Amino acid sequence: MRWKQWNKKARTLLWIITLIGVLAALPLAFLRVEMEQSADTVEYVFDYRDLEEIANYQSNVSQFIDEKLLALKDAGVQSMSLYESSLRDLMQSGRLVYYSEKEMASLLSKVLDTNVNHTYVVFTGEHEAEMIKPIIEREYERQGVNVTDWTYEGKPALIIEEAVNAATLKTLDFDPIAVEKLSSYGFQIIARFSDRVQPYNMDMAEQQIKRLSEYGVTRIIFDGSKAKGATDQAELKSLNHFGALLKQHGMGVAAIENLKVPQAGMSTLSYLLDYDVVRLYSLSENDSFTMTAEGMTDRFKLAAKDRNIRMFFLNVGIKANGNTGVLEHSADKLIETLSGEEGVIAQMEKAGYPDGMASAFQYENPSWTKLVRMIVALAAVAFITLLVGAFLPGTEIIVFVLGLLGSAGLYVLNSSLMEQALALGAAISGPTLGVIWMLNRIYSRTIGERRMLGNTNWTLSGTTPIHDGTVETDRWIFPELPLSRRLGLTLNWFIVGTIITLCAVPIVFGLLFNITYSLVIEQFRGVSLLHLGPIALVAIYVLLYRGQGAKGSITRLWKLLMTPISLLWVVVAVIVAAVGAYYLSRTGNSGQVSAIEMMIRQWLETTVGVRPRFKEFMLGHPPLILGLFLALRYRASWLLLIVGTLGQLTMVSTFTHIHTPIMMSTLRTLLGLGIGIIFGLVLIAIWTVLEGVWRKWVWPKLQQRFE
C-alpha cells in the first residue's frame, strides 16, 4: 500500500515536471520564429547545361544560347548553374571535338594500329585551345596519363594516351569560357561540384575556389551522391579542407530537398560552415513542359512558406513530338511562365518572397538554451513514464529512474539519437494520454451512474429493460441526458484531452531545437511509428482496460486469447490491414492523396492562406467528437474514439516537421481544430435528427410489425 501511495504521488510530480518542461520550451519557440523570419529572399537558378543540350539541336547554337540568356535575364532569373566539365561537356559546348583511335585512323585514311588506343582532341579555335588546354593537361597528367601537343588540319590539338571510354570519364575543372560568358551577362554563378576527382586534390580545390571567388561565386551545389571531399575524409580529412576553403572565401552550400539518400558529407560540411546552408527545390524537366504559371506559383509558394525553401533550381528539356514531327523544348514555356506581372517571380514577390540571392537563416544558440533543453528532456522522460503508468500502474518510480539512466547513457553515446528517441516517445505519449484521459472520464462517469442506479433498468427508451446488467457487458445503453449537458461534457472532454495532447508539442520542438532539423540535415525519426502507435495503444486500452485497471485487463486478455477465431474476424483483420497500409502510404513526403482531397487542399490554401491537415479536420476530430457525444449513451462508440485518435496524433505530427515554420504549424493546427469542431458538431446534429426519426417513427413501426 505504501508503494502504491508513493507511485500515486509520483504521478502528480511527473505531471508537474512535464508542465515545467512545456513552459521551459516556449522561449525556444520565440528564438526559432526569429530565425525563420531572418531570410525571405528566394533565388532562381537555371541549369546552363540544359540550355547547352537544347542548343545543340538548333540550327544556330550560339545565337540560340544568347537569345535565351537574355530572355531569362529579362524574366528575372539572376543565377546560372555551372557544372565541372568533361570532354563530353566541352564538346557539347563547342570548345573541342574528340575522336577515338579508330575514328582518327579513318579521318587520316590510315590503317588502324591495333597496338595503340589513344584519344585525339581537336580544339575549335586558338582561343578555345588557350583557355581549355591547361585544364585538360593538368588533370590527365595528375592522374598519370600522358598528354602531348598535336595539330590537325592546322588546328591546335592534343593526344591523350588513354582509350576514349576512359578519357571521357575524367572530371575536369569548370569551363573558363562559360564562366566568363555568364559573368558578362550579369548572372550570379552557382558552381556544382562533384566528388568524382579521385583522390581529393588540395591544390586543385584551392585553385578552383580562388578562381570562382574572383567571379563572385558565393554558393555551391553538389552534383551526385556526395559532397566534395566526402570519399577521402577518413584518410585525407578532405571535407575539413574543403570546408575551410569555402569558409575562407565566404561561400555557402545548398541542400537539395527530397533526395532518396542525403548527399554524403553534407552534415559535416554544414557544421564546418557554421550552417551557411539554404534548402533547394528542383523543378524537373517534365514539370517545365506541363506546369502552368498558376500551378508553378502555388508549388513554389508552398515550398517557400511550408518548407523554408529559398533556392529554386530550374531544369528544362527537349523531346520529340511524334504528332508534329518536330523537336520541342521547354525553355520558352518556362521563360513565359516566369515572366510578367502574372508570372511566377512577380507572384512570389507579392507573397513576400522577393527575387535575389538566397541567404542562410540567422540563428542564435545562447548558453541558457542548453539548460532549457535538459529540462525539456527531463519532461520528456516524465511524459513517457506517465504513458507507461497508464498501462502498468504502480511502476512509475521504476520507469522514471530507468528512463533517466537510459537517456543519460544514450546521450553519452549519441546525443542526437537521444533527442530523437525522447521526441518520438513524447510525440506518441501526448495523443495517447489525451485520448486515454477522455476514455477514463467516460468510464468513471458510466461506472458511477451504474452504482447510483443499482445496475438495473438500462433501456433504449427509458422504460423497457433490455439487460439485467453487469459491469463487464458491452451492451449498455445509458440513461439519456439533456442535449445541452451532453454537448457540454463532449466539448469539455475534447478540449481538455486536446490540451494534454498538445503538451507533447513544446517537448518535441524543444528537444529538436537545432538548425540541423530546420535544414533537414537531421530529421525526426519514427514517423510511421507515431502514426500507428497512439491508435494501437488506445485500441489496446479500450479492449483490455475500460477503466478497471491492470487486473481486469489480464482477465479480458485471457478471454480474448481463448475466443475462437471466426471467418468474420479474418475478414475484419484483412480490412484493417488494408486500411492501415493505405494510411501509412499517406504519411511522409512521398504520400499520395486523392484528386478530391487535392481540390480541397487547393481551395483552403487559396482561401485562408494556410492548409490544415485533412486527417485532422475530416478524419480525426469529427469522429472523436461524435464518439464522445455518443459515449454518454452508447457504449459501442469506442470505435469512433479509436479512429478519432488520428486527429490528436496528427496535431503533434505537424510540429515534427521542423523545416516548417513554427507559426505556420501553429496556425494550421488551430485552423484544423476549429474546422474539426464545426464538422463534429454537424455530425452530432445529423445523428440527433436521425436518432429522433428512428425513435419516433421507425422503431415503433418495427415493434408493431414483429408483435
Side-chain angles (χ1 to χ4, degrees):
M1 290 298 295
R2 184 174 297 177
W3 179 255
K4 289 183 178 179
Q5 290 175 357
W6 287 351
N7 278 281
K8 186 175 181 180
K9 292 179 180 179
R11 281 196 295 272
T12 302
L13 181 60
L14 290 171
W15 275 113
I16 293 173
I17 294 173
T18 300
L19 293 176
I20 290 174
V22 169
L23 294 174
L26 296 181
L28 301 179
F30 291 110
L31 289 179
R32 187 172 146 193
V33 169
E34 290 181 357
M35 181 270 293
E36 291 166 344
Q37 295 177 347
S38 64
D40 290 332
T41 302
V42 296
E43 185 171 357
Y44 303 91
V45 184
F46 190 86
D47 191 336
Y48 184 64
R49 176 184 285 178
D50 286 352
L51 186 60
E52 286 187 322
E53 288 179 355
I54 295 173
N56 274 273
Y57 290 91
Q58 311 303 315
S59 58
N60 191 322
V61 176
S62 179
Q63 179 181 343
F64 180 86
I65 290 177
D66 290 340
E67 289 176 354
K68 300 313 171 192
L69 287 177
L70 288 172
L72 285 164
K73 189 71 176 177
D74 291 341
V77 175
Q78 301 292 332
S79 302
M80 282 283 162
S81 166
L82 194 62
Y83 294 76
E84 291 174 302
S85 61
S86 66
L87 288 183
R88 283 196 179 95
D89 293 329
L90 292 170
M91 186 166 72
Q92 178 175 271
S93 302
R95 315 293 183 230
L96 54 82
V97 180
Y98 62 84
Y99 302 95
S100 67
E101 187 72 41
K102 185 177 181 179
E103 290 169 334
M104 183 52 65
S106 177
L107 288 172
L108 297 175
S109 300
K110 294 173 59 177
V111 177
L112 178 66
D113 185 352
T114 57
N115 294 318
V116 179
N117 194 7
H118 294 164
T119 300
Y120 299 84
V121 175
V122 181
F123 296 100
T124 54
E126 293 291 340
H127 178 65
E128 285 76 10
E130 180 184 353
M131 301 294 288
I132 304 299
K133 180 182 174 183
I135 70 174
I136 294 177
E137 291 176 331
R138 184 167 57 242
E139 182 56 26
Y140 283 92
E141 290 174 357
R142 186 184 74 83
Q143 297 194 37
V145 179
N146 290 328
V147 179
T148 57
D149 286 328
W150 186 55
T151 57
Y152 175 73
E153 294 187 351
K155 292 186 177 181
L158 293 173
I159 300 175
I160 301 173
E161 296 182 10
E162 188 174 43
V164 69
N165 290 337
T168 53
L169 292 177
K170 299 288 190 296
T171 299
L172 307 175
D173 203 349
F174 294 91
D175 179 358
I177 298 176
V179 172
E180 289 186 353
K181 182 182 183 70
L182 294 177
S183 296
S184 68
Y185 275 87
F187 286 106
Q188 179 71 25
I189 295 174
I190 306 295
R192 293 209 68 169
F193 279 90
S194 71
D195 197 39
R196 290 186 282 270
V197 176
Q198 298 299 328
Y200 177 83
N201 187 292
M202 294 186 179
D203 291 336
M204 179 180 177
E206 290 174 2
Q207 293 170 14
Q208 285 180 309
I209 296 299
K210 183 179 179 181
R211 282 195 299 271
L212 291 172
S213 178
E214 291 172 356
Y215 283 97
V217 175
T218 58
R219 195 163 302 280
I220 67 173
I221 308 171
F222 294 111
D223 178 33
S225 60
K226 298 178 181 180
K228 187 171 183 63
T231 302
D232 298 319
Q233 169 67 0
E235 183 178 352
L236 302 177
K237 298 298 180 185
S238 45
L239 269 177
N240 298 63
H241 178 264
F242 193 66
L245 279 177
L246 293 179
K247 192 169 183 179
Q248 176 186 346
H249 291 87
M251 295 185 189
V253 298
I256 303 172
E257 185 193 39
N258 283 344
L259 292 176
K260 291 182 179 180
V261 179
Q263 291 173 310
M266 274 295 292
S267 178
T268 300
L269 194 60
S270 300
Y271 173 77
L272 294 170
L273 294 174
D274 295 328
Y275 298 102
D276 186 1
V277 181
V278 298
R279 299 192 67 222
L280 177 147
Y281 170 80
S282 182
L283 182 78
S284 69
E285 293 180 12
N286 184 60
D287 285 340
S288 70
F289 276 104
T290 59
M291 292 195 73
T292 62
E294 182 180 6
M296 194 179 296
T297 300
D298 289 339
R299 181 176 293 186
F300 284 11
K301 278 183 185 178
L302 190 65
K305 184 169 59 175
D306 278 24
R307 305 197 300 278
N308 281 334
I309 300 294
R310 293 296 180 266
M311 185 174 280
F312 294 95
F313 195 85
L314 308 173
N315 290 284
V316 292
I318 190 166
K319 62 183 179 181
N321 188 326
N323 296 323
T324 60
V326 298
L327 290 171
E328 297 177 349
H329 64 79
S330 58
D332 289 338
K333 185 177 187 303
L334 180 64
I335 291 170
E336 182 182 354
T337 302
L338 297 173
S339 306
E341 290 297 321
E342 300 301 320
V344 173
I345 295 177
Q347 291 300 311
M348 286 288 289
E349 187 159 0
K350 291 178 182 177
Y353 300 100
D355 176 25
M357 291 177 60
S359 59
F361 290 113
Q362 303 299 313
Y363 73 100
E364 294 183 34
N365 196 11
S367 57
W368 57 264
T369 60
K370 187 173 183 179
L371 175 62
V372 168
R373 296 179 70 193
M374 289 176 60
I375 296 172
V376 174
L378 184 67
V381 176
F383 209 31
I384 296 168
T385 302
L386 287 168
L387 176 62
V388 176
F391 290 87
L392 299 174
T395 64
E396 286 85 351
I397 295 175
I398 295 175
V399 172
F400 184 65
V401 172
L402 291 176
L404 290 178
L405 294 175
S407 298
L410 194 57
Y411 179 82
V412 173
L413 294 174
N414 189 326
S415 60
S416 178
L417 184 59
M418 183 273 290
E419 294 167 354
Q420 294 178 31
L422 289 181
L424 176 61
I428 293 174
S429 300
T432 308
L433 287 171
V435 178
I436 285 177
W437 183 90
M438 300 180 204
L439 290 168
N440 287 338
R441 301 288 73 72
I442 296 169
Y443 294 142
S444 63
R445 180 175 180 80
T446 54
I447 290 172
E449 288 183 354
R450 287 178 181 178
R451 289 172 179 169
M452 181 181 66
L453 296 175
N455 246 6
T456 59
N457 214 32
W458 296 83
T459 69
L460 178 65
S461 63
T463 58
T464 307
I466 64 169
H467 204 288
D468 57 358
T470 65
V471 174
E472 300 298 327
T473 184
D474 281 334
R475 298 181 179 274
W476 291 111
I477 301 180
F478 305 129
E480 188 170 5
L481 293 173
L483 179 61
S484 59
R485 177 64 174 160
R486 291 175 73 187
L487 278 174
L489 286 172
T490 296
L491 293 177
N492 177 56
W493 291 348
F494 177 78
I495 292 171
V496 175
T498 298
I499 291 173
I500 294 173
T501 295
L502 292 176
C503 285
V505 169
I507 295 175
V508 169
F509 69 64
L511 285 166
L512 305 183
F513 177 76
N514 195 310
I515 188 68
T516 57
Y517 293 99
S518 296
L519 297 174
V520 199
I521 296 169
E522 292 184 284
Q523 296 189 62
F524 173 84
R525 303 294 179 183
V527 174
S528 296
L529 192 57
L530 171 57
H531 281 78
L532 280 180
I535 295 175
L537 291 172
V538 169
I540 291 171
Y541 195 87
V542 168
L543 292 173
L544 301 181
Y545 286 79
R546 303 184 188 174
Q548 297 299 307
K551 291 182 179 179
S553 66
I554 295 173
T555 302
R556 292 190 186 90
L557 179 60
W558 177 252
K559 288 182 179 180
L560 185 63
L561 292 174
M562 298 303 295
T563 302
I565 298 176
S566 65
L567 179 60
L568 179 61
W569 282 43
V570 176
V571 173
V572 170
V574 171
I575 294 173
V576 170
V579 172
Y582 172 73
Y583 169 57
L584 286 179
S585 73
R586 292 284 311 272
T587 64
N589 291 329
S590 60
Q592 300 296 316
V593 297
S594 65
I596 294 177
E597 184 176 343
M598 284 300 297
M599 291 176 60
I600 296 174
R601 285 183 174 190
Q602 185 67 27
W603 180 81
L604 287 169
E605 183 74 27
T606 55
T607 303
V608 298
V610 178
R611 173 176 57 81
R613 297 198 177 277
F614 193 84
K615 288 181 287 188
E616 286 181 35
F617 70 87
M618 287 294 288
L619 305 178
H621 298 325
L624 182 57
I625 292 171
L626 179 61
L628 291 171
F629 180 79
L630 297 181
L632 289 165
R633 183 161 175 77
Y634 304 107
R635 190 66 173 271
S637 62
W638 59 269
L639 181 60
L640 289 172
L641 300 175
I642 295 173
V643 172
T645 307
L646 174 62
Q648 298 291 301
L649 70 88
T650 304
M651 289 191 298
V652 179
S653 176
T654 296
F655 288 88
T656 64
H657 297 81
I658 306 298
H659 58 276
T660 299
I662 195 169
M663 289 300 296
M664 183 67 60
S665 296
T666 302
L667 292 173
R668 174 173 290 158
T669 298
L670 293 176
L671 187 59
L673 270 172
I675 298 175
I677 290 173
I678 293 172
F679 283 3
L681 294 176
V682 170
L683 289 180
I684 289 174
I686 294 172
W687 175 271
T688 303
V689 172
L690 294 177
E691 187 180 44
V693 171
W694 171 268
R695 289 183 181 184
K696 189 170 183 179
W697 288 295
V698 179
W699 178 246
K701 289 182 179 180
L702 289 175
Q703 285 182 319
Q704 291 176 3
R705 176 173 295 182
F706 287 107
E707 288 176 357

